[in-house]
């Protein structure tokens, strides 16, 4: 497994593979890998000849009061998991390498970033779109795999891939959950055992909403009220948002008549947790 720390080395590696006629799958991450990331690597592995993982905690997607400095890091373990998952090259740049002196350019989308997480994290998706655009140009993959846990991010990436004419197939990997239902996240590492128990409120409240929709409830406001009451019954929780929205545009939906995505963000102690699910009303 090659570990490449400069953009030049990464591009040269990818170009050499392409000249040999090889295809490349790519899984971008911020490191601190867990079973969710491993599942994305496993999804990408059989789709191409080569499998590239990037590890870069991207500063431009964190706002001033967010957890950039506290973001967990364990490169040694990441490299071990990468090797086991069949990664053939790891791109491991530092901040200076990615955004050198006099860096000026940002990639911005008009609509998708103004919904859901974008309302309380106004710089986040611009930072994600910018770094992913750069990573696509550096790694030059044929296929890129992103987790569905950040549903909005996946929508943003699909949109920018289309709008900027990247010839890359975007694959969404299913959410990987702990046995009790908590969606896996590097941020789960910040929680105390007490907070970890409270974190179950996200997946459980989604379960309640799904049941209610299946039983005929069509009012998003009523569903949100039920989810809020459930989450507030747990200690250490502070709801950022709960929304039912159109799966493509992410515009809010008031009456559930077709498939919707329910998405929520809840602060649990120091961890800001997100979760989502697609829900279909009964036919
Ligand atoms: O999902 C993530 O880990 C990050 O947002 C990404 C896509 C690697 C960009 O920094």
């Amino acid at each position: 497994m090659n570990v490449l720390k400069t953009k030049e080395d990464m591009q040269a590696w990818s170009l050499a593979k392409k000249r040999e006629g090889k295809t490349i799958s790519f899984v971008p991450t911020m490191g601190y890998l867990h079973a969710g990331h491993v599942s994305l690597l496993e999804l990408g592995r059989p789709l191409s000849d080569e499998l590239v993982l990037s590890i870069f905690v991207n500063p431009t997607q964190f706002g001033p009061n967010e957890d950039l400095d506290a973001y967990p890091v364990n490169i040694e373990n990441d490299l071990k998991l990468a090797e086991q998952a069949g990664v053939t090259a790891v791109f491991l740049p530092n901040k200076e390498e990615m955004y050198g002196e006099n860096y000026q350019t940002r990639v911005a989308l008009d609509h998708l970033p103004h919904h859901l997480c974008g309302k309380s994290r106004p710089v986040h998706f611009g930072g994600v779109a910018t770094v992913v655009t750069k990573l696509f140009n550096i790694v030059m993959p044929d296929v890129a795999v992103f987790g569905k846990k950040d549903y909005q991010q996946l929508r943003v990436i699909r949109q920018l891939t289309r709008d900027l004419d990247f010839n890359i197939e975007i694959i969404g990997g299913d959410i990987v959950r702990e046995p009790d239902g908590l969606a896996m996240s590097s941020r789960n590492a910040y929680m105390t055992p007490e907070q970890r128990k409270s974190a179950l409120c996200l997946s459980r409240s989604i379960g309640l909403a799904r049941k209610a929709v299946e039983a005929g409830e069509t009012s998003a406001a009523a569903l949100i009220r039920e989810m809020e009451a459930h989450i507030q019954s747990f200690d250490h929780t502070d709801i950022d948002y709960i929304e039912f929205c159109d799966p493509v545009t992410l515009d809010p939906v008031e009456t559930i008549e077709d498939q919707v995505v329910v998405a929520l963000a809840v602060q649990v102690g120091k961890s800001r947790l997100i979760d989502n699910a697609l829900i279909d009303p009964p036919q």
Side-chain angles (χ1 to χ4, degrees), residues 99-197:
Y99 301 102
E101 219 180 285
N102 194 28
Y103 186 86
Q104 299 196 20
T105 306
R106 287 180 76 85
V107 176
L109 288 83
D110 287 337
H111 299 298
L112 290 171
H114 301 297
H115 294 295
L116 305 175
C117 288
K119 290 187 199 159
S120 52
R121 305 188 72 192
V123 301
H124 178 66
F125 289 107
V128 169
T130 302
V131 80
V132 170
T133 299
K134 285 167 69 60
L135 289 167
F136 281 177
N137 284 323
I138 297 164
V139 175
M140 295 177 276
D142 300 279
V143 174
V145 189
F146 294 83
K148 291 183 190 165
K149 184 169 75 82
D150 194 335
Y151 188 92
Q152 188 173 13
Q153 170 169 284
L154 183 57
R155 281 294 305 120
V156 164
I157 305 298
R158 286 194 194 283
Q159 187 73 36
L160 84 82
T161 302
R162 203 199 70 165
D163 291 351
L164 300 182
D165 308 302
F166 282 111
N167 189 16
I168 301 173
E169 187 185 354
I170 305 298
I171 308 277
D174 286 339
I175 300 178
V176 178
R177 298 181 180 278
E178 302 281 0
D180 63 4
L182 177 66
M184 290 203 179
S185 162
S186 303
R187 291 186 165 98
N188 292 351
Y190 308 149
M191 286 185 284
T192 63
E194 275 284 289
Q195 292 163 356
R196 171 67 184 75
K197 281 185 203 149

Side-chain angles (χ1 to χ4, degrees), residues 17-89:
K17 295 296 174 193
K18 281 177 183 288
R19 268 188 224 110
E20 290 169 23
K22 302 238 168 98
T23 53
I24 300 174
S25 288
F26 176 41
V27 179
T29 76
M30 299 208 296
Y32 209 72
L33 302 189
H34 51 67
H37 297 111
V38 172
S39 77
L40 302 182
L41 293 169
E42 283 167 356
L43 201 54
R45 179 66 272 196
L47 300 179
S48 303
D49 303 304
E50 303 291 338
L51 177 61
V52 176
L53 163 76
S54 68
I55 300 174
F56 177 60
V57 182
N58 173 38
T60 65
Q61 67 189 73
F62 289 80
N65 299 318
E66 295 179 359
D67 57 348
L68 172 62
D69 294 334
Y71 203 83
V73 178
N74 188 344
I75 299 294
E76 203 185 316
N77 191 52
D78 290 350
L79 296 181
K80 203 172 85 193
L81 291 176
E83 183 113 54
Q84 285 166 3
V87 169
T88 49

